[in-house]
Amino acid sequence: MERREEPVILFQASLSLVVSAANKSQAAETAAFLLNRESIDLSPVQMVNGQGEKAEFRMESVDAVEWTRVEDIREGGRFKVYGTIRLNLRAGSPENYASVIRAGLSGYHLPRSVIHDHTVWVIPTNCGPAFACVLDEKTSWKPAVQEPAMLVAVG
């Protein structure tokens, strides 16, 4: 029996990251250095559904990390940098894949912080962990890549 490959899950999150810097442009550069496609470790991502059931997803790749806005938070050289991250994930095991299908992919999200009412995502990087505040997140199935149709000349 051949093994079927589970589909890729697209995960996108809007997030903010607090960094120390001398000015806004340096804050944007610091955020881009700390969190980028090459610096993020491809480690498992744990999510929960509406019933509190946990599922672990394998991070296949980082599609993009884009920083779009910097805000001075008036705390002695600290800035909040806003951006988005897009990841390709796969269910970590056949059991996780089955539970994702049963519960529906949209029901899964990063766990909320026990201290705050928002999600703090600890993202492992080659510079150490990055603590990002998740403002919004969504998941969707990545469409299967279709083979190009063959053109046949008639006549």
Side-chain angles (χ1 to χ4, degrees):
M1 178 187 275
E2 72 181 61
R3 180 178 177 265
R4 280 187 40 206
E5 190 75 22
E6 72 268 10
V8 173
I9 300 163
L10 296 177
F11 174 79
Q12 180 171 320
S14 299
L15 43 90
S16 67
L17 185 68
V18 176
V19 298
S20 296
N23 54 47
K24 284 185 175 185
S25 63
Q26 192 180 62
E29 290 172 5
T30 301
F33 173 77
L34 291 174
L35 274 180
N36 61 64
R37 289 180 66 188
E38 291 77 31
S39 71
I40 296 173
D41 290 339
L42 298 180
S43 61
V45 176
Q46 192 165 64
M47 295 185 168
V48 296
N49 64 16
Q51 290 75 37
E53 298 168 340
K54 295 178 183 178
E56 191 170 88
F57 296 87
R58 290 188 324 267
M59 193 184 308
E60 292 280 309
S61 64
V62 179
D63 272 353
V65 180
E66 299 165 344
W67 298 106
T68 56
R69 185 169 58 103
V70 179
E71 179 181 291
D72 187 347
I73 57 175
R74 310 272 186 231
E75 289 183 13
R78 291 171 47 118
F79 296 85
K80 191 178 282 191
V81 185
Y82 295 89
T84 58
I85 185 170
R86 288 189 308 272
L87 307 173
N88 289 320
L89 305 173
R90 288 193 191 265
S93 68
E95 297 82 24
N96 282 347
Y97 180 63
S99 66
V100 169
I101 295 297
R102 278 193 309 276
L105 181 60
S106 62
Y108 280 89
H109 56 83
L110 295 167
R112 303 284 183 255
S113 170
V114 294
I115 299 171
H116 303 287
D117 61 348
H118 56 272
T119 300
V120 176
W121 183 16
V122 181
I123 305 171
T125 71
N126 56 18
C127 300
F131 297 87
C133 180
V134 178
L135 308 171
D136 183 39
E137 62 184 281
K138 64 181 177 180
T139 53
S140 61
W141 297 107
K142 185 173 185 175
V145 177
Q146 297 190 3
E147 295 295 321
M150 296 201 50
L151 300 175
V152 179
V154 179

